[in-house]
Amino acid sequence: MRFEVGAEDLLRTRFAVSPIFELQSLIRVLALPAPGLPETWLSRFRPAFDQLREHPGLAVTLALKTAKSGANFYAPPPRGMDQTIERDLAAIRAWPLAAAREEIAWYLARRRVTATTKAFLYAEELLDRLADFLELAWSTLLAAEWPQMRAVCERDVVHRAAELGRAGWAAALAGLGPRVRWHDGGIELTAHHGPAGALGGTGLLLVPSMVIWPGTAVFGDDPWPKAIIYPARGVGALFEPAPAAVPDALAALLGRSRAQLLAALAEPASTTQLAAVLGLATGAVGDHLAVLLRAGLVMRARSGRSVLYSRTVLGDQVMRGAAGL
């Protein structure tokens, strides 16, 4: 699959997060295990997921997905980095019922479902009932985890925006996936098949994801804008948290926790993500960052809903000097 990219597309390409996509994907992985996400991470969700197994909405959700596609009406497109699950659920409730039923017919022609699931899918109150289930699934599975997951996605966007300014689109797209590349004025996705298409001046939506790891997803159907959902940088650190290695001399000077924070800030990160990666309490991370900020070793800037910290020039010099001891 290839997207032809024009000058207007480059100007209008943007980033977004999709809470509903993360929820839908997590549900599918928990219900139908597949290679990819580590079991050590997924096991955290299984006790909560077991509470949803008998809910009729679960079978409906799974019936509207195949290995390579999912219904548009229950995974509406995000608008930007400030997307919330509340916006997603409102969009599902407001979807035209006739359009939803067209998609339902397509999926039911390709799989068998129980009479209970079919009755759910053809009920007049389908959209409200489905949104109610997804709201329950969100509160049960992801509400507590979402701040950390969002922080990983926001950190990815900060990195790619910096790469875009430093070296252009080829650098910004590098790492979206092993089979995604900028080539000859367009974006090629060799893991996906479909007709080549021009973006037509509407730009591309780039959506970092925790749950798509290690693959990618592509959206080209209306009403989605053309979109690539890709694994966010740093997901491995959240899957398998490990303290940052720091020189002993730096730990003696700053204290080990502050030294670990300074080492971890080679790229911008939020307090939530730093707490998850280093296994520290969020409040303690905030206190340590305040000390490093007053010392001029780190700086902070807002990105979407998060405040991201990064090392200053002085912080980089301290790290390099400590590494040379």
Side-chain angles (χ1 to χ4, degrees):
M1 182 179 289
R2 175 181 169 86
F3 293 133
E4 301 292 343
V5 181
E8 288 293 315
D9 298 308
L10 295 178
L11 293 173
R12 294 178 179 174
T13 292
R14 64 274 189 210
F15 291 91
V17 293
S18 180
I20 196 69
F21 180 87
E22 299 294 87
L23 176 62
Q24 298 279 9
S25 298
L26 180 61
I27 288 173
R28 188 175 189 281
V29 170
L30 290 170
L32 306 169
L37 296 172
E39 178 57 33
T40 52
W41 189 69
L42 290 176
S43 63
R44 294 159 55 176
F45 300 97
R46 295 199 183 281
F49 182 70
D50 287 341
Q51 301 175 32
L52 302 173
R53 287 189 182 276
E54 301 305 317
H55 195 293
L58 177 61
V60 169
T61 299
L62 296 174
L64 296 172
K65 270 189 174 292
T66 69
K68 296 184 178 180
S69 70
N72 286 318
F73 76 87
Y74 81 160
R79 296 184 178 182
M81 292 299 295
D82 61 348
Q83 188 74 15
T84 64
I85 190 64
E86 290 77 16
R87 287 183 183 177
D88 287 329
L89 296 173
I92 292 172
R93 295 182 193 277
W95 205 274
L97 183 57
R101 284 181 169 160
E102 287 183 11
E103 289 195 277
I104 290 169
W106 189 91
Y107 281 93
L108 291 188
R110 287 157 177 79
R111 60 177 58 222
R112 294 180 179 178
V113 299
T114 65
T116 300
T117 298
K118 186 173 289 188
F120 190 121
L121 285 167
Y122 282 104
E124 287 296 321
E125 65 275 18
L126 160 68
L127 297 173
D128 284 333
R129 291 181 63 190
L130 182 58
D132 287 345
F133 167 72
L134 293 172
E135 185 174 19
L136 173 64
W138 176 266
S139 63
T140 303
L141 289 173
L142 271 188
E145 298 281 344
W146 181 240
Q148 295 180 16
M149 295 171 67
R150 177 185 282 279
V152 172
C153 294
E154 289 177 343
R155 186 175 185 178
D156 173 276
V157 171
V158 170
H159 168 79
R160 295 194 189 282
E163 289 295 283
L164 178 62
R166 180 186 67 83
W169 277 98
L173 293 173
L176 289 191
R179 301 171 72 180
V180 181
R181 65 172 183 164
W182 177 268
H183 178 69
D184 195 22
I187 299 170
E188 295 182 347
L189 303 104
T190 57
H192 300 274
H193 301 282
L199 297 178
T202 60
L204 185 68
L205 191 62
L206 297 172
V207 184
S209 167
M210 288 282 299
V211 187
I212 197 68
W213 189 86
T216 56
V218 180
F219 291 86
D221 296 335
D222 294 334
W224 272 87
K226 300 296 187 292
I228 300 173
I229 299 181
Y230 63 91
R233 287 167 51 88
V235 294
L238 192 53
F239 291 154
E240 301 290 346
V246 297
D248 290 337
L250 187 63
L253 176 66
L254 299 177
R256 185 157 297 277
S257 293
R258 290 174 191 161
Q260 287 178 337
L261 285 168
L262 193 63
L265 286 173
E267 295 181 6
S270 69
T271 55
T272 304
Q273 185 177 17
L274 291 167
V277 170
L278 298 178
L280 299 173
T282 303
V285 170
D287 292 342
H288 290 316
L289 287 173
V291 174
L292 296 174
L293 185 68
R294 291 196 297 270
L297 298 177
V298 304
M299 56 185 175
R300 62 186 178 187
R302 180 164 292 280
S303 174
R305 297 163 63 91
S306 297
V307 174
L308 299 182
Y309 290 82
S310 59
R311 289 202 299 250
T312 61
V313 173
L314 177 60
D316 286 336
Q317 291 173 339
V318 168
M319 286 301 305
R320 286 196 297 270
L325 293 177

